Amino acid sequence: MLSMTSTLPEAAAPEVRAAVAQLPAYVAGKSAQSDLTAALASNENHFPPLPSVLEAMSAQAGRIHRYPSMGAVEARDAIARHFDLTADEVACGPGSSGVLQQIISAVCGHGDEVVYAWRSFEAYPILVAVAGAVSVPVPLLATEHHDLDAMAAAITDRTRLVILCSPNNPTGVSISPEALEEFLRSVPPRVLVVLDEAYIEFQRGRGVDSMDFYRRYPNLCILRTFSKAYGLAGLRIGYAIAHPDIAEGLRRTAVPFGVNRMAQAAAVASLAAGEEILERTETVARERRRVIQALRGYGWDTPDSQANFYWIRASDELRVQLLDALSGADILARGYAVDGVRITLADATTNDRVLAVLADRGRFVPEGGAAE
């Protein structure tokens, strides 16, 4: 009897889609290598979890043999109450990246265009490509802000989605209310505008009241996360606020039971701990002002970050020098090829370690030229 392998024609092996094979891998910030390592590459919250959050999570530990609610009902209800919305206007997912993937899947088909600023959050082009859509990146202004005029001009008949990141990751700068108003007026109503506010709790001073804009512009969707200010990065829960038809689409594209019951309980408890969260973000904002002022005193041209990190624009040569110098001091930061270095804020002692490395800007001046 002939074996199957001798009678069947040679078949090609399974392959992933070409678009997937060509995707750049998402590069996560390096994790701490020891207790002495300052892990400042991932914009994690350096504060430990709140006791009330840990208590809420512990109460769910004995129930992890049961599925969580479908559609993260408990978290959606709490978010809706927090913002005076209906639960129909809220969709949850595994972090804001997971929710953004739901958004792109819900509104974009093959070949549809997605406009976003660049450089911005590294996941944007990856998520767009996975959906089979087309990225339309628009370079930042020299001030590190979104070039909203150019982004508006980049909208075509194929555009289905525009992503704005404010405060922008990795540059830290925010979009002003006037600039956002003018931009939203120029965008066709058929185009969904996502305002990614992953770091909004760290913003101080006069900023965008995104809920006011949301109520006035039906094509605006607000994207937020519990990973940063709320310190729930390890639990993966984020959410979008959108008008009911859009929010329902996001829930339909979500992975079933994608937000676990501990994450939901932690999110609900975090929203109830508003005063404690405010106190923590105030501490970060004070350190941000101190660190940026010191850096400018050393000669670094650092923009006014409104997030829990700050940005140094740098050539590749300077980027390598900075990362090597910080690594030599057991400090991990995030480098971006061609563009620069992002450093997360932490406690005052850790921030001082960074400042000690960057205090002598002259040591980073490339031979025969000026540092950027």
Side-chain angles (χ1 to χ4, degrees), residues 10-188:
E10 184 176 348
E15 296 181 350
V16 299
R17 289 189 293 126
V20 174
Q22 296 169 6
L23 285 176
Y26 178 83
V27 181
K30 294 182 179 179
S31 300
Q33 299 163 352
S34 73
D35 290 341
L36 299 177
T37 301
L40 309 181
S42 295
N43 295 339
E44 295 161 326
N45 192 324
H46 70 279
F47 290 104
L50 291 169
S52 60
V53 172
L54 291 176
E55 182 179 353
M57 292 172 58
S58 296
Q60 295 296 323
R63 303 181 62 198
I64 59 173
H65 62 301
R66 303 294 187 188
Y67 283 112
S69 63
M70 186 71 169
V73 173
E74 294 90 343
R76 281 173 53 210
D77 286 344
I79 293 165
R81 289 193 301 271
H82 187 75
F83 291 104
D84 193 22
L85 302 167
T86 67
D88 289 342
E89 297 171 273
V90 182
C92 293
S96 58
S97 298
V99 180
L100 181 58
Q101 187 168 32
Q102 294 164 217
I103 294 171
I104 296 172
S105 296
V107 303
C108 293
H110 182 77
D112 288 337
E113 294 176 350
V114 180
V115 176
Y116 53 82
W118 196 254
R119 178 172 288 271
S120 194
F121 183 35
E122 193 171 357
Y124 294 163
I126 297 174
L127 296 177
V128 171
V130 167
V134 177
S135 282
V136 182
V138 177
L140 296 172
L141 294 167
T143 60
E144 308 290 3
H145 287 80
H146 286 46
D147 188 343
L148 293 176
D149 289 341
M151 293 181 73
I155 295 173
T156 71
D157 291 342
R158 296 303 304 271
T159 305
R160 296 297 305 277
L161 180 66
V162 175
I163 307 172
L164 308 177
C165 189
S166 182
N168 186 45
N169 177 16
T171 63
V173 298
S174 294
I175 298 172
S176 71
E178 295 82 5
L180 181 60
E181 185 84 58
E182 183 178 352
F183 179 77
L184 290 174
R185 286 176 178 171
S186 70
V187 175

Side-chain angles (χ1 to χ4, degrees), residues 218-260:
N219 62 330
L220 180 64
C221 170
I222 298 170
L223 180 63
R224 292 191 179 183
T225 184
F226 287 96
S227 295
K228 306 304 180 182
Y230 292 98
L232 305 185
L235 290 177
R236 312 307 302 131
I237 177 167
Y239 61 96
I241 294 171
H243 289 270
D245 288 348
I246 296 295
E248 172 63 19
L250 307 192
R251 293 192 293 272
R252 291 189 179 193
T253 57
V255 174
F257 308 110
V259 181
N260 68 67

